[in-house]
Amino acid sequence: SSDLRGFPLWRAILRQLHQTGKQPAPTPEDLLFPGRVIGVATEPGALVIRSEHAFMRIDALAGNLILLRVSMDGRFLAPFSYGVCKDPGEWDRPDIQIEESQAALEVSAGDLALSIDRATSGLTLRTGDGHVLLQSPAGVGAHPPDGQLVWQARLSPETAFYGLGEKASALNHAGRAFELWNTDPALYDRGDDPIYMSIPFLVALKESITLGLFFDNPYRTWLELGTQNAGEVSYRATGGEFRLYLMSGTPREVMTAYTDLTGRTALPPLWALGFHQSRWSYYPDSRVQEIAHEFRTRHIPCDVIHFDIHYMDGYRCFTWDKQHFPDPISMLDELHGMGFKALSMIDPGIKVDPGYHVYDQGIERGAFISYPDGVPFTGPVWPGDCHFPDFSDPEVREWWGGLYRDLLETGVDAFWNDMNEIALITGSPHPTWVPDIVRHSREGQGAAHAEIHNQYALLMTRASRDGMRRLQPDKRPVLLTRSGWAGIQRHAMHWTGDNRSTWDHLHLSIQMVLNLGWSGVPITGPDVGGFAGGPSPELYTRWMQVGAFTPFLRVHSMISSPDQEPWAFGPETESICRDYIALRYRLLPYIYTAIWQSVRSGMPVARAMSFAFPEDKDTHSLDTQYLFGDSILVAPILEEGAVRREVYIPAGCWIDFWEDRTYEGPIRIAVDALLDRLPLFIRGGAVIPMWPVQQYVGERTIDTLTLHCYPSPSTHTSTLYEDDGISVDHTDESAHRVSLFETSRSDTSVRISRSVAAGAFEPGYRQITLIIHSLDRPPVSVELDRGDILQQEWDQETNKFSLTITTIGEFILTMVP
Ligand code: MIG
């Protein structure tokens, strides 16, 4: 009833409460560890252990996935989690073996075995064949006075660590400490932690064994990874249940297990993989049209123009500024007519403003997060004082989703959820400042902000996405988010927030995108050119080259920063950027396939070298080069003035994309790269599909598919996923097609064969151009098992043989012996 918000004392109390949210590490004497094992019980697929001070429950969910839960008071509530979309009860559990000896109990299922020491409840995790993965001599500890949880485990000192979400530091986390607490750093620098998106999923890699550790606990968490002793992990959370999913296998198997648990990305429409141009903010409407026309007259492909907060009326979400955008319907019609899509910002902060429909409805419904006395929490954001919807309430999610109706009907195609850490503009160095005592619904069960904080953006994007799907069931939703938690990949694509226009940030953007891939977030990318400041033409050019080879490609920049469109840096920059954006558009069938692989199995799209070559220790800390999809190795220039760099060519045969020169890895090479050159290497045996350049996706019917073939002596298979790029029913048999291209070569012949692995979709193209690279001799004969040859040509100078055919099945090329 009484509104205490104005009271300085109340503020002081809140500040203090916020500080306690940080909770100093408990003193060791106050910690309680499980101690001696007293009793053991088995359930189908599970083992329950009673120790002196704790209860443990071990569930084998799959042959390479074990769930360990620890409870001090013996209560194991239904394991509710916003991150997990497959409950322990839904798994088809493997048979488990339980071995009891004098000293220990061991549960094993397939590839993993967890043993519990009878004297201490200490834990040892092994592979099925006995190789020790981790040891935790004291087991999981608790701090009864305040509910903190602690756990320490020893892994091999050689272990490389990845994951944990968005981390602004080197890819391999070994030797570093991290906090998981979503925060708007208001521009970040290398080393700042935490920043926007925390994900409690850690990957530990030791040569051929990858171990995934998913701490399914949203509370504020700290992790130290080998800061004292190499390979030692120390975990501390301010509350919650200790619920740890352990999974093992190859990197791919671990990502599959993690995304079986937390879900996968839905296939975006193809246009979302095109080029996005943004700035804070394009207005008025005439400026938007001007930008759109520049792209088309300059022939720089572009699919999406972003509307940052200035399109709103006084920063009120779901409104238009009628002064600068008097006729949004016509403006969006015109953009659509030119082949553009419009993507608009929606923040969680709702202006406290009686008469504003979202505010009024929110108050009426009791939709905003509130103090325990029922007074809505107020915090300052762009429009001034704001309230924040409680997205942990199903009715609020439903209401929020419906709010998108007007903008969608006006013609907005996609959305962008920002500031959802929750970020407040308080002027303090820590703008994220919702006190822990603020209440949330948590599906009607009630929870403090401390529990919901890290999941707020996950829930906001869930509400936004569900609304978009309900309102436009025939469209694939496109949503972008800044913050998130485990499972965010189900709801939204991501960008890496407010970076800076510096060379180090160019490098950092690669480190972050690769690490996000290891964290289960496959579609992400940086603000190309940097958000704060202005890049030099050289930096902008190098960044665009990298951007063309990141899953999400967008130029964005901060209010009052210099223009950052591709033509803003003079003709040389413009022409190089045009070429790289065009190369991305040519590669769309390849990129779409990589995205589809992620949709299927949780694989990253931009893959760390360590992901692709885990058994090669030299890749474990490599974060200046990476794989984009299955077959393209990207090795960008990351230093000012540099025109040459070292590239680590991993095992196997790799072909320089520009020169067609072949390398046998592992080998370190130096390559030249003048400003217009991004070093790229193609995996031997690969078939790279390409389309003609379009100015936007769907500009015209694709009439020719070009297959760049790099046959190598060992047989290799490449994948191509195709559908119409837009329909929601793409999983239907007739709506998609997966083709496999198998290649091999001998001294005298090249063989390429296509088989259809799934689906019956018929793409619109009438012909296929095969370009066979690096033939050292001219071919003497061509054999096709179907279709006709329309044209063929041997290029003596480049050693390429190209031929255009009507369809492809089995194809054999014979050369002069
Ligand atoms: O406090 O909407 O990261 O991309 O341009 C800044 C204005 C709020 C932060 C986002 C940035 C966006 C900006 N927003």
Side-chain angles (χ1 to χ4, degrees):
S1 52
S2 61
D3 187 347
L4 294 171
R5 273 172 293 141
F7 279 81
L9 178 63
W10 182 240
R11 285 238 176 238
I13 294 170
L14 292 184
R15 251 176 221 283
Q16 215 175 351
L17 281 167
H18 182 61
Q19 291 306 318
T20 51
K22 289 186 178 157
Q23 262 153 319
T27 42
E29 309 84 79
D30 292 336
L31 284 173
L32 198 59
F33 288 93
R36 197 164 49 84
V37 173
I38 298 172
V40 182
T42 54
E43 287 178 25
L47 182 67
V48 184
I49 293 169
R50 181 159 60 93
S51 301
E52 278 174 291
H53 305 297
F55 297 80
M56 276 184 274
R57 203 192 142 94
I58 297 157
D59 288 85
L61 301 179
N64 68 338
L65 176 63
I66 282 181
L67 168 59
L68 166 67
R69 300 172 69 190
V70 180
S71 155
M72 293 291 151
D73 60 9
R75 282 187 308 164
F76 289 102
L77 304 173
F80 177 86
S81 169
Y82 282 122
V84 169
C85 56
K86 187 169 176 181
D87 284 339
E90 293 172 58
W91 291 82
D92 190 8
R93 297 186 184 214
D95 290 333
I96 57 169
Q97 280 84 51
I98 297 176
E99 260 179 59
E100 303 200 34
S101 71
Q102 284 267 284
L105 296 154
E106 182 167 87
V107 198
S108 57
D111 300 334
L112 280 178
L114 184 64
S115 76
I116 300 94
D117 185 291
R118 284 184 193 271
T120 59
S121 296
L123 305 164
T124 302
L125 184 72
R126 293 191 181 79
T127 59
D129 50 15
H131 177 90
V132 174
L133 292 170
L134 69 79
Q135 281 181 300
S136 172
V140 178
H143 187 244
D146 61 5
Q148 291 197 63
L149 298 169
V150 299
W151 184 58
Q152 274 183 344
R154 287 200 297 259
L155 283 75
S156 157
E158 314 267 85
T159 306
F161 294 101
Y162 313 106
L164 304 181
E166 193 176 35
K167 294 297 166 197
S169 47
L171 177 62
N172 181 354
H173 300 330
R176 304 188 73 91
F178 297 95
E179 181 173 342
L180 304 181
W181 187 251
N182 293 346
T183 303
D184 172 13
L187 299 182
Y188 59 93
D189 288 304
R190 178 180 290 279
D192 284 356
D193 186 73
I195 58 170
Y196 315 100
M197 184 160 79
S198 309
I199 299 178
F201 177 54
L202 176 68
V203 178
L205 171 65
K206 196 206 145 203
E207 278 143 56
S208 52
I209 291 284
T210 311
L211 177 65
L213 303 100
F214 173 42
F215 299 90
D216 184 19
N217 181 358
Y219 280 78
R220 191 171 198 149
T221 293
W222 291 265
L223 276 147
E224 289 184 27
L225 307 174
T227 46
Q228 312 285 329
N229 299 303
E232 225 168 68
V233 172
S234 126
Y235 168 91
R236 173 164 73 95
T238 56
E241 186 189 75
F242 189 90
R243 204 186 298 150
L244 171 61
Y245 291 89
L246 294 156
M247 54 211 101
S248 69
T250 61
R252 193 196 177 113
E253 286 163 349
V254 166
M255 293 315 295
T256 300
Y258 172 70
T259 53
D260 275 342
L261 278 169
T262 60
R264 303 196 175 103
T265 296
L267 196 62
L270 191 52
W271 59 260
L273 305 175
F275 180 68
H276 297 235
Q277 178 69 47
S278 182
R279 83 162 286 124
W280 177 11
S281 311
Y282 285 129
Y283 71 97
D285 51 3
S286 56
R287 178 65 179 148
V288 176
Q289 301 300 2
E290 195 178 301
I291 295 290
H293 282 282
E294 290 292 339
F295 274 102
R296 295 300 179 245
T297 51
R298 292 172 188 272
H299 294 286
I300 301 172
C302 181
D303 263 273
V304 191
I305 294 187
H306 288 223
F307 291 75
D308 205 330
I309 47 179
H310 286 91
Y311 81 90
M312 302 177 195
D313 172 20
Y315 305 126
R316 288 172 190 82
C317 290
F318 306 107
T319 66
W320 285 94
D321 169 358
K322 283 290 160 67
Q323 193 194 329
H324 293 120
F325 296 93
D327 186 0
I329 295 187
S330 309
M331 175 193 65
L332 295 173
D333 272 355
E334 210 178 308
L335 278 186
H336 291 152
M338 296 168 72
F340 288 98
K341 302 284 190 288
L343 186 151
S344 300
M345 169 75 85
I346 290 292
D347 288 332
I350 297 304
K351 186 179 173 72
V352 175
D353 179 22
Y356 160 40
H357 72 287
V358 184
Y359 171 81
D360 289 345
Q361 290 174 19
I363 290 291
E364 201 182 293
R365 292 167 168 269
F368 299 119
I369 54 172
S370 303
Y371 293 110
D373 60 5
V375 174
F377 168 75
T378 305
V381 204
W382 297 113
D385 276 353
C386 286
H387 292 336
F388 301 84
D390 183 0
F391 299 111
S392 73
D393 179 338
E395 283 174 19
V396 173
R397 288 200 294 272
E398 172 103 23
W399 164 67
W400 178 264
L403 291 170
Y404 285 88
R405 178 186 296 276
D406 286 353
L407 290 175
L408 286 170
E409 283 177 358
T410 308
V412 176
D413 302 277
F415 294 95
W416 172 16
N417 288 167
D418 185 22
M419 305 293 274
N420 47 9
E421 291 72 28
I422 300 170
L424 305 179
I425 304 173
T426 61
S428 90
H430 290 287
T432 301
W433 201 71
V434 178
D436 286 355
I437 57 161
V438 163
R439 302 295 301 167
H440 292 257
S441 153
R442 215 205 77 162
E443 312 305 297
Q445 297 166 42
H449 187 69
E451 180 182 341
I452 300 300
H453 178 88
N454 276 337
Q455 308 178 94
Y456 190 77
L458 178 73
L459 292 164
M460 180 189 187
T461 54
R462 175 170 157 187
S464 300
R465 183 188 184 85
D466 285 354
M468 292 167 76
R469 283 178 50 186
R470 263 197 328 271
L471 293 163
Q472 297 193 326
D474 57 339
K475 289 197 175 151
R476 302 183 194 172
V478 174
L479 180 64
L480 192 58
T481 187
R482 190 169 73 176
S483 183
W485 195 66
I488 189 67
Q489 68 275 7
R490 301 195 298 262
H491 307 318
M493 317 197 294
H494 174 260
W495 93 104
T496 59
D498 298 348
N499 61 358
R500 297 177 190 273
S501 303
T502 66
W503 287 89
D504 188 46
H505 268 274
L506 168 57
H507 183 201
L508 198 51
S509 68
I510 294 172
Q511 296 170 315
M512 292 170 73
V513 167
L514 297 180
N515 189 59
L516 284 159
W518 271 117
S519 308
V521 181
I523 310 186
T524 182
D527 285 353
V528 167
F531 177 74
S536 66
E538 184 194 359
L539 175 57
Y540 186 83
T541 306
R542 292 302 193 189
W543 213 324
M544 188 68 84
Q545 292 169 345
V546 171
F549 288 84
T550 46
F552 172 62
L553 167 59
R554 178 180 77 153
V555 168
H556 181 55
S557 60
M558 189 167 151
I559 192 165
S560 71
S561 61
D563 283 355
Q564 216 155 288
E565 296 77 31
W567 53 86
F569 302 86
E572 190 194 11
T573 307
E574 178 180 340
S575 128
I576 301 173
C577 289
R578 177 187 297 108
D579 289 349
Y580 278 87
I581 297 172
L583 178 57
R584 180 178 179 96
Y585 276 74
R586 287 165 61 201
L587 281 167
L588 279 175
Y590 173 82
I591 298 172
Y592 198 40
T593 300
I595 297 275
W596 171 78
Q597 290 173 328
S598 180
V599 167
R600 287 287 298 247
S601 67
M603 295 265 280
V605 175
R607 299 174 198 157
M609 297 298 288
S610 53
F611 183 94
F613 301 94
E615 63 295 330
D616 178 353
K617 264 205 85 186
D618 285 347
T619 66
H620 289 195
S621 297
L622 200 53
D623 57 16
T624 55
Q625 60 179 74
Y626 60 97
L627 284 187
F628 190 57
D630 280 338
S631 306
I632 303 183
L633 193 165
V634 184
I637 297 288
L638 303 173
E639 278 165 50
E640 183 166 18
V643 289
R644 194 173 165 80
R645 66 160 281 170
E646 186 183 87
V647 181
Y648 181 66
I649 300 288
C653 153
W654 294 84
I655 299 102
D656 184 313
F657 176 76
W658 305 103
E659 319 268 342
D660 270 357
R661 197 172 146 192
T662 300
Y663 297 94
E664 276 301 326
I667 187 176
R668 281 174 208 283
I669 60 167
V671 289
D672 291 320
L674 293 176
L675 190 55
D676 62 356
R677 172 75 54 101
L678 166 69
L680 296 170
F681 300 85
I682 309 294
R683 195 193 279 272
V687 171
I688 308 285
M690 289 199 197
W691 280 351
V693 180
Q694 302 179 82
Q695 294 307 301
Y696 55 92
V697 169
E699 184 195 17
R700 55 194 168 106
T701 315
I702 303 299
D703 50 9
T704 307
L705 175 73
T706 301
L707 298 172
H708 287 270
C709 308
Y710 297 85
S712 75
S714 44
T715 306
H716 184 83
T717 305
S718 306
T719 308
L720 171 63
Y721 172 82
E722 296 170 296
D723 66 16
D724 70 359
I726 199 113
S727 302
V728 287
D729 63 358
H730 57 87
T731 51
D732 291 0
E733 172 71 12
S734 61
H736 72 279
R737 186 173 74 184
V738 181
S739 303
L740 301 178
F741 294 95
E742 193 181 273
T743 64
S744 60
R745 88 191 275 174
S746 70
D747 281 350
T748 53
S749 73
V750 165
R751 197 182 60 80
I752 299 166
S753 74
R754 192 199 73 172
S755 56
V756 174
F761 175 72
E762 285 291 338
Y765 47 81
R766 295 277 156 88
Q767 54 186 46
I768 295 172
T769 298
L770 284 176
I771 300 181
I772 299 157
H773 291 253
S774 308
L775 288 181
D776 44 14
R777 275 158 296 158
V780 286
S781 73
V782 181
E783 246 177 77
L784 285 177
D785 77 336
R786 71 183 79 142
D788 302 316
I789 299 177
L790 302 174
Q791 205 188 328
Q792 68 184 69
E793 192 189 331
W794 162 248
D795 184 336
Q796 183 78 48
E797 242 149 75
T798 61
N799 286 350
K800 280 197 236 322
F801 181 63
S802 34
L803 103 167
T804 299
I805 53 185
T806 51
T807 183
I808 178 170
E810 183 85 17
F811 165 96
I812 298 168
L813 199 63
T814 310
M815 273 100 58
V816 192

